[in-house]
């Protein structure tokens, strides 16, 4: 008799989702070593999954790539989630059908989707209903917000929020459920939009699991030993990263220009620019003294070793830096509602990080902030990081029923 079988659809936008999905999967295997986890996603998630030895279903070749859509919709430190959602809509409908076909072909006991909005949109509009097995969706923010004020963005945000406000018709149906990675305070206590429901009220049926940490904190306690193993000395170290998309070139080049100014005041200063899988390190216009790397496995080790990190406003990266208690500077993508209106307020509530904007930051001003925060002990309290275990428990409960 075969063990329980799960299809896990990993969010393909950037790298943060697939990292936390793998952490949840590891906890699922601790609960039930016999569970079989199959995966569906697109680049760059599929490369990460393949490197981790995970099994992709055959339908992955038909699953459309959201990262490419987001890159086309954004640039120069900007990304409107509403514009991205509009452009991704046709692909979402296609992907919903691919997911359904994969779940039925694999005969899985439970379907898990990390921000699989395509399934919600397709089911709520009756374009493609969910397959019959229990469905678990994972969120880390709720609702699109207007960030530019343009009429097209307002209309688009209202349309998607109109559907999102009804998500309980899907996730509250039968044995389905919704998990929220974060705390209840991360959901704004206001309506989705004009004439729409209150967000926190809609979220009442969701399970809040806290934050998902993708690595064991105990491995970072010996910081001096970790630095030696990574090839660092005692010199001050700044690590700059922009995640899994190409929307970040300008930030990395700004960091490179600020380096020379900061280094004049910080002897031996070392800076590493982490370009991720979709930016060519050699293409950056930065001083030769600045180190560059592409995809860096286990980037969290470098975060733990650094004296300061500079990043965009992504949820996973900023969470890791919070948990590691490293000082960091973050630049939310302009127009990206989640980064500007969910993650940044969360960081402000926790008292973590220094928020800056790309358009108003010069190399000189960034150099000053680097000098002021280099090695500065964070004052924010610990955050709940047991989300992977709690999410895994909720998923495996559905797989057993």
């Amino acid at each position: 008799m075969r063990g329980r079988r799960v299809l896990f659809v990993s969010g393909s936008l950037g790298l943060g989702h697939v990292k936390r999905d793998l952490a949840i999967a590891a906890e699922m295997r601790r609960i039930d070593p016999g569970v079989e986890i199959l995966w569906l996603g697109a680049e760059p998630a599929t490369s990460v999954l393949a490197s981790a030895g995970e099994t992709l279903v055959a339908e992955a070749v038909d699953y459309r790539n959201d990262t490419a859509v987001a890159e086309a919709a954004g640039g120069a430190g900007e990304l409107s989630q509403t514009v991205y959602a509009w452009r991704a809509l046709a692909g979402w409908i296609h992907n919903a059908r691919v997911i359904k076909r994969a779940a039925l072909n694999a005969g899985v006991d439970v379907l898990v989707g990390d921000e699989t909005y395509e399934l919600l949109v397709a089911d709520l509009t009756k374009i493609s209903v969910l397959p019959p097995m229990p469905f678990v969706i994972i969120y880390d923010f709720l609702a699109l917000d207007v960030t530019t004020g343009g009429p097209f963005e307002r209309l688009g945000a209202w349309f998607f929020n109109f559907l999102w406000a009804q998500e309980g018709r899907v996730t509250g149906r039968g044995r389905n459920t919704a998990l929220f990675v974060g705390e209840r305070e991360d959901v704004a206590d206001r309506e989705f939009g004009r004439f729409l429901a209150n967000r926190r009220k809609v979220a009442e049926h969701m399970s809040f699991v806290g934050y998902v940490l993708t690595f064991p904190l105990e491995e970072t306690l010996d910081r001096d030993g970790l630095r030696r193993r990574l090839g660092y000395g005692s010199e001050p170290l700044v690590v700059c990263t922009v995640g899994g998309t190409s929307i970040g070139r300008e930030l990395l080049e700004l960091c490179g220009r600020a380096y020379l100014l900061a280094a004049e005041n910080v002897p031996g200063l070392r800076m590493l620019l982490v370009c991720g899988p979709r930016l060519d390190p050699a293409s950056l216009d930065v001083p030769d003294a600045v180190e560059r790397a592409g995809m860096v496995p286990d980037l969290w080790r470098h975060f733990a070793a650094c004296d300061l990190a500079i990043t965009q406003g992504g949820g996973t990266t900023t969470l890791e830096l919070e948990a590691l208690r490293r000082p960091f500077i973050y630049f939310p993508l302009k127009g990206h509602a989640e980064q500007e209106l969910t993650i940044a307020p969360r960081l402000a509530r926790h008292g973590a990080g220094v928020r800056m904007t790309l358009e108003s930051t010069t190399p000189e001003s960034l150099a000053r902030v680097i000098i002021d925060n280099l090695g500065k002990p964070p004052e924010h309290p610990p955050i709940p990081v047991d989300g992977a275990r709690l999410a895994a428990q909720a998923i495996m409960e559905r797989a057993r029923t």
Side-chain angles (χ1 to χ4, degrees), residues 180-200:
F180 192 97
V181 174
E183 302 167 293
R184 194 170 301 276
E185 292 80 8
D186 291 327
V187 178
D189 189 13
R190 64 175 183 271
E191 61 186 15
F192 274 89
R194 190 174 178 84
F195 307 121
L196 300 180
N198 178 277
R199 303 176 191 193
R200 199 170 287 179

Side-chain angles (χ1 to χ4, degrees), residues 132-152:
M133 69 285 299
F135 169 54
V136 180
I137 192 168
I138 302 171
Y139 296 122
D140 58 20
F141 77 107
L142 205 62
L144 291 178
D145 283 291
V146 175
T147 54
T148 67
F152 176 77

Side-chain angles (χ1 to χ4, degrees), residues 117-161:
Y117 302 116
E118 53 261 65
L119 291 176
L120 289 178
V121 171
D123 191 271
L124 288 169
T125 57
K126 305 302 181 186
I127 293 175
S128 177
V129 297
L130 285 171
M133 69 285 299
F135 169 54
V136 180
I137 192 168
I138 302 171
Y139 296 122
D140 58 20
F141 77 107
L142 205 62
L144 291 178
D145 283 291
V146 175
T147 54
T148 67
F152 176 77
E153 185 187 23
R154 288 185 181 277
L155 177 62
W158 192 93
F159 168 75
F160 285 111
N161 284 341

Side-chain angles (χ1 to χ4, degrees), residues 37-107:
I37 304 175
L38 305 174
W39 296 85
L40 179 61
E43 289 291 351
T46 49
S47 290
V48 176
L49 292 167
S51 296
E54 299 290 345
T55 300
L56 289 161
V57 295
E59 289 81 3
V61 298
D62 296 326
Y63 192 79
R64 292 186 183 172
N65 191 322
D66 274 0
T67 297
V69 175
E71 290 172 343
E78 297 187 28
L79 174 62
S80 167
Q81 282 182 292
T82 302
V83 172
Y84 152 71
W86 271 124
R87 293 191 179 188
L89 187 56
W92 282 359
I93 300 304
H94 168 86
N95 283 349
R97 295 184 173 120
V98 172
I99 294 169
K100 183 176 182 178
R101 186 170 74 247
L104 292 173
N105 287 344

Side-chain angles (χ1 to χ4, degrees), residues 27-28 31 388-398 400:
E27 292 295 335
M28 291 165 61
I31 295 170
R389 182 181 63 83
L390 295 175
Q393 287 178 348
I395 293 168
M396 294 308 297
E397 285 173 5
R398 264 68 189 178
R400 292 194 187 101

Side-chain angles (χ1 to χ4, degrees), residues 213 215-222 300 320 323-325 385:
L213 196 60
F215 55 87
L217 275 175
E218 57 269 20
E219 290 190 16
T220 67
L221 297 179
D222 180 11
W300 57 270
E320 291 177 349
L324 288 165
R325 306 190 65 74
V385 292

